[in-house]
């Protein structure tokens, strides 16, 4: 469903700017300037969270901050909209399972 436009992919490959971060503790990389959600999708992660009641997987939908389906934990802070945050070097991104923990 989500993929980079060919002309943008070509320009980004030529620039070669990548950012290293982690997804659920696993090393990953993304293009500099990508949102966290775009970086997750580029790394094959299609579900950002699960719902608290049924446990259904939820993935990004609008990619512009309206739907709240891209909620993730970023550097220990939960319920962050991944589509609104640019991925940064060393960032720790975790998918969210169920309801938010009180201390996050």
């Amino acid at each position: 469903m989500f993929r980079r436009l060919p002309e943008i992919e070509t320009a980004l490959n030529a620039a070669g700017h990548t950012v290293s971060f982690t997804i659920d503790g696993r090393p990953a990389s993304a293009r500099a300037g990508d949102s966290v959600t775009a970086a997750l999708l580029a790394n094959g992660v299609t579900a950002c969270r699960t719902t608290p009641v049924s446990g259904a997987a939820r993935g990004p939908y609008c990619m512009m901050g309206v739907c709240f389906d891209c909620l993730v934990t970023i550097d220990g802070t939960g319920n962050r909209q991944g589509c609104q945050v640019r991925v940064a070097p060393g960032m720790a991104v975790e998918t969210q399972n169920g309801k938010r923990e009180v201390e996050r």
Side-chain angles (χ1 to χ4, degrees):
M1 182 167 155
F2 293 103
R3 65 182 188 285
R4 293 185 192 276
L5 297 173
E7 61 274 10
I8 294 174
E9 182 68 18
T10 301
L12 291 172
N13 282 337
H17 301 292
T18 59
V19 174
S20 296
F21 69 109
T22 61
I23 303 170
D24 292 329
R26 297 181 316 273
S29 63
R31 301 281 185 208
D34 277 356
S35 69
V36 169
T37 302
L40 291 174
L41 291 168
N43 281 277
V45 178
T46 57
C48 297
R49 66 185 185 95
T50 59
T51 60
V53 176
S54 70
R58 302 297 295 181
Y61 181 70
C62 73
M63 299 291 285
M64 61 182 185
V66 176
C67 72
F68 291 86
D69 279 332
C70 63
L71 294 177
V72 291
T73 300
I74 300 174
D75 292 331
T77 304
N79 282 354
R80 300 283 311 272
Q81 286 180 279
C83 69
Q84 298 296 300
V85 179
R86 290 186 192 263
V87 69
M91 182 179 273
V93 178
E94 300 171 41
T95 54
Q96 292 189 172
N97 294 310
K99 65 181 179 178
R100 180 178 172 201
E101 296 174 21
V102 175
E103 61 273 356
R104 287 191 166 187

